[in-house]
Amino acid sequence: MSDSYSPFLTSSASTDSQEDRIVDAAFHDLLNCYVESNHRKKVEIIEKAYRFAKEAHKGARRRSGEPYILHPIAVARIVVEELGLGSTSICAALLHDVVEDTDYTREDIEMAFGKKIADIVEGVTKISGGIFGDKASVQAENFRKLLLSMSTDIRVILVKMADRLHNMRTLGSMRPEKQYKIAGETLYVYAPLAHRLGLSKIKYELEDLAFKYEHPQKYREIIEKVNETEEHRVAIAREFVAPVKKMLDEAGFKYEIKARVKSAYSIYKKMETKKIPFEEIYDVYAVRVIFDNDDDALEKIKCWQIYTFFTENYKTHPERLRDWISIPKANGYRALHLTAMGPEGKWIEVQIRSRKMDEIAELGYAAHWKYKDGVNEDESELDTWMNTIKDILAHPEPNALDFLDTIKLNLFSSEIYVFTPKGDLLTLPTGATVLDMAFAIHSQLGLHCMAGKISHRLVPLSHKLQSGDQVEIITSNSRNPTPEWVDYCYTAKAKSRIRTYLKKAGNADILSPEELDRIATPESSHEEKRSLVKRLLRNPFSSKKKKGEKKAAPIDRKKVFTLYPDDKEPNYHLESCCSPLPGDDVLGFVNEDEEVVLHKVSCPIAMRLKSAYGSRLVVTRWGGSSSKFPATIELDGIDRRHILEEIVELVSHKFNINIRSMNISTHQDVFHCNMSFFTDTAESVDNLCDNLLNLKGVKFAKRVT
Ligand code: MN
């Protein structure tokens, strides 16, 4: 199929800026690649993903200065062109940075594109955000292990691989220290992983790019030598293959012969490990014979036939015959390798492959797509490939030195891999909680554990961990296990430690100061909340003014009191029980400071006040025009006495914000609070959040809408 596809781009009227044209052209090229592939044509969803990503990254730029959206487009193009994947992966690639870098969430993506695409995007986000964050320095070994364990869908790894490849190709515009970090990770993590998945072309490119940034001088030297010797190499190769070509022609083969040079990084590695100069690396020279074949049954025989064309003309190295056709490499690689003595006494490596073997060698199992028509990536084909990969993982090559051979690994493991803030890896059983992790690190940590912190959010002790989570354990010396802790953990170790502690504590005759302290503190935070509410109700008009502060002038209870919500300091107060909005039907009560306190007419507290304190009632009406917009913030923190009171005090009194709604839930020691209100500017919300974070125990405060 070679007809060019015109993408649907007519909806936006102002796309004539040069940048828009560049972006649209890049997407157009991507679509063309897809349309030319053998995949089922699901163009619409790809266009939708493009529009979504373009909108989400609107205005953002890469360090190079180009529009950010060009990056996801390039990643998607690698996904289709170099990995041979289809629409699901293309969409995930287009959207792969949306959750990490923009305000859109996984839920937004799931809503628009379904669960599968959202899962892949989330997986990619988790890999890059959680693990390679600035703080974490994760050992390569751990990362690879994790990468494979958490990716229940292999496409997560493939999209991530494409992302990394594009970042490496554009590494030049990064800051030098970032270049080092990224190049290092690439060499230690991604290149071996690419090799493992049989993506040798990508592996070599990643290695060479990383090498170029890590050792620029050495890289340049090798490239220069390779270039210097090219002419000679081509001449030797031509002379070497001439008699073989004749025999291939006579036997009626359709074929292609490539004179190939080792990659710069492989040359460098060999020079380093063997301590030899460039000139002594014999397999710098390699020749590859790729033949067309349409009968799978004859593939092997043809390889051996071509093999004899070389042995009839040259002396071959007896120890360097590699038969990867009878027993393919674990990553799926199949070919016949031999080394023959060429002109000038130089050993030349020969690789014999069918076209299909060659593509599998270059593209890995992704190449299999190319041999199917109308492939639907989402169905059985992908499962087949996944199973092959799983097989590879379960039966590693015996002699290879790469990572999977030393680790017994299951793709769908009963274990999870979690990280400490410093990047140390812990292996826990699936189902393990924050409390289990605390005990796994150290018993003392477990015994004083209050909560966990994952991606900046607090979670309770019983929170179930997932592979890839990076967890900070929050402790307090005054915190000790209670009987219900046994239900908060999963591992036998944690349960037995807790039981031992409880037994000891129960037998003790004298209470420790901490225990005394705990007895003095209301056990349940629920209870605490209730008493706080009681206190608030008991004294509805209690003065909040400090001694010495002047009372306002008395309010005339007989006149209608006009409320000014838009003023910097509204001339009334709100209680958190009902939080009326401007325009709501409200009742005003005058408190001891001669201030008007508002309640909704429907508020049960207002009803009680009305009957008990009729003389303090004042009729109100709303004045001014409301130009405020609604906002919602979320708070997390460690629960303690008076925390709710302090939050409410800060929000409604210090900031004079009318709380519309407030939801609080506590799990063990952690509380979550969700609060909605009207506000004038976004800055004042940020300012409020900053102030809330200063309250003791508040660990997270952020605007969510
Ligand atoms: Mn990216």
Side-chain angles (χ1 to χ4, degrees):
M1 221 178 301
S2 61
D3 54 326
S4 164
Y5 178 78
S6 282
F8 165 75
L9 291 167
T10 49
S11 63
S12 61
S14 59
T15 53
D16 16 61
S17 86
Q18 202 187 343
E19 242 172 31
D20 277 342
R21 277 203 302 274
I22 291 169
V23 168
D24 287 342
F27 178 67
H28 184 182
D29 291 345
L30 161 68
L31 267 189
N32 275 336
C33 285
Y34 174 66
V35 168
E36 280 166 22
S37 75
N38 280 341
H39 287 282
R40 203 186 275 176
K41 304 297 174 275
K42 293 185 185 169
V43 167
E44 243 168 66
I45 192 163
I46 295 174
E47 286 174 333
K48 188 175 160 191
Y50 167 59
R51 288 193 299 269
F52 193 108
K54 196 177 170 190
E55 178 60 32
H57 293 297
K58 201 174 184 173
R61 289 180 184 276
R62 300 196 89 203
R63 248 189 89 80
S64 60
E66 62 180 23
Y68 194 86
I69 185 70
L70 286 173
H71 165 64
I73 293 174
V75 173
R77 180 144 177 197
I78 292 170
V79 158
V80 62
E81 201 172 29
E82 298 180 50
L83 294 171
L85 298 172
S87 62
T88 303
S89 309
I90 294 170
C91 290
L94 285 168
L95 299 163
H96 83 273
D97 277 331
V98 163
V99 173
E100 199 181 341
D101 296 342
T102 77
D103 291 338
Y104 290 92
T105 61
R106 183 222 140 90
E107 285 68 38
D108 296 328
I109 290 180
E110 182 164 349
M111 210 113 89
F113 301 96
K115 189 177 179 314
K116 210 163 271 176
I117 290 173
D119 279 345
I120 299 173
V121 171
E122 190 180 38
V124 175
T125 307
K126 213 168 178 181
I127 292 173
S128 41
I131 310 311
F132 279 155
D134 283 341
K135 269 187 245 154
S137 63
V138 179
Q139 304 95 310
E141 199 65 19
N142 290 346
F143 181 65
R144 287 185 214 122
K145 211 171 162 183
L146 169 88
L147 201 61
L148 289 162
S149 74
M150 66 196 274
S151 307
T152 47
D153 190 325
I154 198 77
R155 288 174 291 194
V156 171
I157 295 177
L158 295 172
V159 171
K160 186 65 204 168
M161 196 69 84
D163 180 36
R164 177 50 57 119
L165 183 58
H166 185 246
N167 284 335
M168 284 302 292
R169 284 175 181 170
T170 53
L171 198 59
S173 51
M174 288 288 227
R175 288 193 309 275
E177 80 275 9
K178 273 239 158 159
Q179 290 180 353
Y180 269 115
K181 183 176 148 64
I182 293 174
E185 279 168 14
T186 300
L187 222 40
Y188 286 112
V189 178
Y190 290 94
L193 196 56
H195 172 69
R196 199 19 124 167
L197 298 174
L199 308 167
S200 58
K201 200 164 157 247
I202 288 177
K203 174 208 163 188
Y204 286 123
E205 187 176 350
L206 287 175
E207 280 179 348
D208 270 11
L209 287 166
F211 175 45
K212 184 174 148 189
Y213 286 99
E214 284 205 324
H215 303 284
Q217 182 60 31
K218 284 184 180 133
Y219 176 80
R220 226 172 301 128
E221 281 168 21
I222 289 173
I223 292 293
E224 266 167 31
K225 291 220 161 128
V226 168
N227 289 342
E228 271 170 27
T229 52
E230 197 192 343
E231 219 175 292
H232 185 60
R233 201 172 54 242
V234 170
I236 284 185
R238 196 179 298 132
E239 192 186 332
F240 175 67
V241 298
V244 177
K245 277 182 96 163
K246 208 172 149 232
M247 295 172 99
L248 282 163
D249 289 337
E250 279 165 10
F253 275 96
K254 272 189 184 161
Y255 63 94
E256 184 188 352
I257 293 184
K258 288 180 184 168
R260 170 188 147 265
V261 67
K262 233 178 154 62
S263 77
Y265 181 69
S266 326
I267 293 172
Y268 167 73
K269 239 178 28 189
K270 199 148 206 174
M271 285 166 68
E272 289 289 296
T273 52
K274 302 226 159 154
K275 307 265 177 253
I276 49 171
F278 179 86
E279 289 70 24
E280 281 173 35
I281 296 174
Y282 62 88
D283 56 357
V284 167
Y285 299 94
V287 164
R288 185 177 298 160
V289 181
I290 301 154
F291 62 92
D292 290 345
N293 175 52
D294 33 58
D295 187 350
D296 281 353
L298 295 177
E299 206 179 32
K300 279 186 198 175
I301 296 165
K302 284 179 179 170
C303 284
W304 286 110
Q305 193 184 356
I306 296 169
Y307 171 77
T308 63
F309 297 166
F310 283 95
T311 54
E312 273 173 39
N313 288 290
Y314 298 104
K315 191 169 85 189
T316 60
H317 196 305
E319 283 164 28
R320 301 200 62 84
L321 172 66
R322 296 282 179 273
D323 174 9
W324 302 117
I325 48 172
S326 308
I327 307 158
K329 277 196 193 184
N331 64 12
Y333 181 81
R334 291 188 306 142
L336 196 55
H337 290 193
L338 64 109
T339 301
M341 178 67 78
E344 298 176 14
K346 283 191 183 337
W347 288 109
I348 295 178
E349 192 190 70
V350 178
Q351 302 174 344
I352 302 165
R353 300 172 179 175
S354 70
R355 179 78 54 200
K356 189 171 171 180
M357 290 174 178
D358 185 57
E359 280 177 346
I360 290 169
E362 302 273 297
L363 293 172
Y365 279 88
H368 289 306
W369 307 123
K370 300 193 77 168
Y371 296 94
K372 308 267 183 209
D373 272 325
V375 171
N376 186 357
E377 173 198 287
D378 297 345
E379 284 158 16
S380 60
E381 270 303 302
L382 193 82
D383 291 342
T384 311
W385 189 39
M386 281 280 290
N387 285 331
T388 317
I389 299 279
K390 273 194 280 176
D391 240 34
I392 292 169
L393 298 176
H395 306 287
E397 295 168 57
N399 290 318
L401 286 169
D402 53 8
F403 69 99
L404 280 161
D405 304 316
T406 51
I407 306 167
K408 252 193 138 188
L409 191 79
N410 251 320
L411 198 57
F412 301 109
S413 166
S414 55
E415 291 178 332
I416 56 166
Y417 302 99
V418 293
F419 291 90
T420 67
K422 284 184 183 161
D424 294 327
L425 177 92
L426 286 176
T427 308
L428 295 169
T430 304
T433 65
V434 169
L435 195 52
D436 287 308
M437 178 165 170
F439 275 105
I441 297 170
H442 197 282
S443 293
Q444 284 306 309
L445 208 57
L447 292 171
H448 297 297
C449 183
M450 291 191 84
K453 201 173 183 185
I454 302 172
S455 324
H456 311 295
R457 300 302 302 263
L458 282 174
V459 291
L461 297 181
S462 62
H463 179 85
K464 268 192 196 164
L465 301 175
Q466 289 193 317
S467 250
D469 283 344
Q470 192 162 20
V471 189
E472 187 186 327
I473 301 293
I474 294 179
T475 58
S476 160
N477 282 335
S478 61
R479 192 69 175 116
N480 286 311
T482 55
E484 56 273 22
W485 278 32
V486 176
D487 301 327
Y488 298 163
C489 53
Y490 178 87
T491 60
K493 181 183 175 179
K495 283 183 195 287
S496 86
R497 291 284 150 85
I498 294 165
R499 287 199 181 104
T500 308
Y501 172 88
L502 292 170
K503 217 171 152 192
K504 265 193 202 163
N507 290 339
D509 294 329
I510 304 161
L511 292 165
S512 69
E514 291 95 286
E515 284 166 321
L516 275 172
D517 191 29
R518 278 214 10 258
I519 288 167
T521 316
E523 189 55 49
S524 129
S525 41
H526 231 85
E527 202 49 52
E528 215 173 301
K529 296 275 146 28
R530 201 175 301 151
S531 71
L532 168 65
V533 171
K534 268 186 202 155
R535 219 169 36 246
L536 283 170
L537 293 184
R538 205 179 302 132
N539 212 350
F541 306 124
S542 68
S543 172
K544 292 202 168 75
K545 294 262 154 94
K546 290 190 187 103
K547 261 185 192 160
E549 248 176 289
K550 248 183 72 191
K551 269 189 190 179
I555 288 167
D556 188 345
R557 273 87 160 152
K558 286 174 188 124
K559 278 191 180 162
V560 175
F561 185 85
T562 309
L563 305 160
Y564 293 107
D566 297 340
D567 285 5
K568 203 165 180 201
E569 284 203 53
N571 57 345
Y572 58 88
H573 286 278
L574 292 172
E575 290 294 0
S576 57
C577 50
C578 60
S579 310
L581 290 174
D584 280 348
D585 286 334
V586 290
L587 286 174
F589 294 90
V590 182
N591 70 10
E592 287 173 5
D593 294 323
E594 289 299 313
E595 293 166 337
V596 173
V597 178
L598 291 187
H599 289 273
K600 280 185 186 167
V601 172
S602 56
C603 174
I605 293 170
M607 303 219 201
R608 197 172 64 83
L609 290 173
K610 206 162 59 174
S611 54
Y613 302 92
S615 61
R616 289 181 174 271
L617 207 59
V618 64
V619 178
T620 59
R621 68 175 178 88
W622 291 102
S625 68
S626 183
S627 60
K628 298 197 172 189
F629 63 91
T632 304
I633 60 169
E634 265 181 36
L635 297 172
D636 290 348
I638 301 288
D639 205 16
R640 63 175 170 83
R641 299 181 76 183
H642 307 310
I643 183 119
L644 175 61
E645 210 174 354
E646 284 171 33
I647 290 169
V648 172
E649 165 73 20
L650 183 81
V651 176
S652 48
H653 295 114
K654 198 165 167 220
F655 276 79
N656 245 314
I657 284 170
N658 312 339
I659 300 171
R660 292 167 67 205
S661 72
M662 186 160 158
N663 282 304
I664 299 173
S665 58
T666 54
H667 300 283
Q668 294 129 44
D669 283 320
V670 175
F671 77 88
H672 290 281
C673 171
N674 191 296
M675 194 190 286
S676 302
F677 47 81
F678 277 93
T679 182
D680 43 4
T681 65
E683 289 87 77
S684 59
V685 183
D686 293 343
N687 188 17
L688 172 67
C689 288
D690 287 346
N691 274 269
L692 285 165
L693 279 170
N694 285 335
L695 293 179
K696 191 178 162 237
V698 175
K699 304 281 183 195
F700 177 91
K702 213 178 165 203
R703 184 164 170 212
V704 290
T705 59

